[in-house]
Amino acid sequence: MNLSNCSMLRRYEQVRVYTPLEFERRWGVAREVAARHGCGTLVAFNPSGEGYDQWLADVRGLSCVILSQSGGPLGILRGRIAREAQSPCDVEVTHEDIVIQRDLDPVRIGALLGTGPIAAINPGAMSANFRDLLDEIAPGIDVVDITLP
């Protein structure tokens, strides 16, 4: 780890040693929380690098992470990071089931969302583009705010 001439922005930058088993444990916890609220999918919006992206996908700079009831999460890159990445492959992932993409793909996101309500962390940080996409692919879908008080 090279920390010269930089400051540690988040505690998650200290060590990146999450095992596949640890990711699966975390995804299971997130799925259980969503299910307790009657939701099949969890969307964690990450307005200011609060760590949801690291905790669920081990990648910083995601605008949101979408986790359905099966498979790994889908991370959507944010702003400058998305523009600088030549392709999603430019972003290193540490688990084979984690998918990162630059743009909002309506087909992939629609498949993850399903038909039921969505559990959302920080829904107030949902981008206008994401909100428009929801209106397009899942009109009238309920978004349940499960952000901790």
Side-chain angles (χ1 to χ4, degrees):
M1 178 182 339
N2 180 4
L3 295 178
S4 62
N5 297 323
C6 69
S7 62
M8 203 173 300
L9 298 176
R10 300 280 179 255
R11 66 183 179 273
Y12 299 108
E13 290 179 352
Q14 296 176 24
V15 181
R16 294 185 71 186
V17 293
Y18 305 130
T19 64
L21 188 60
E22 174 59 12
F23 275 119
E24 289 158 21
R25 183 196 69 79
R26 290 173 183 210
W27 300 340
V29 168
R31 288 180 176 118
E32 286 174 17
V33 170
R36 276 200 307 264
H37 291 276
C39 302
T41 302
L42 176 118
V43 183
F45 296 96
N46 205 38
S48 57
E50 293 182 5
Y52 297 108
D53 50 359
Q54 289 262 216
W55 199 82
L56 290 168
D58 198 22
V59 176
R60 285 191 67 239
L62 300 176
S63 63
C64 69
V65 178
I66 304 169
L67 184 66
S68 67
Q69 285 299 312
S70 62
L74 170 65
I76 310 297
L77 292 170
R78 81 165 79 237
R80 178 182 56 82
I81 296 167
R83 289 189 298 277
E84 290 175 357
Q86 297 301 309
S87 73
C89 297
D90 287 349
V91 179
E92 178 186 345
V93 295
T94 54
H95 189 287
E96 64 184 17
D97 289 344
I98 297 171
V99 176
I100 305 297
Q101 65 184 49
R102 289 177 11 182
D103 302 310
L104 296 173
D105 177 350
V107 173
R108 180 175 276 165
I109 292 173
L112 289 171
L113 295 181
T115 58
I118 300 166
I121 298 172
N122 293 326
M126 184 186 310
S127 71
N129 290 341
F130 196 95
R131 196 177 319 267
D132 290 347
L133 178 69
L134 275 183
D135 289 342
E136 176 187 323
I137 64 175
I141 196 164
D142 290 326
V143 178
V144 180
D145 185 352
I146 64 166
T147 308
L148 293 176

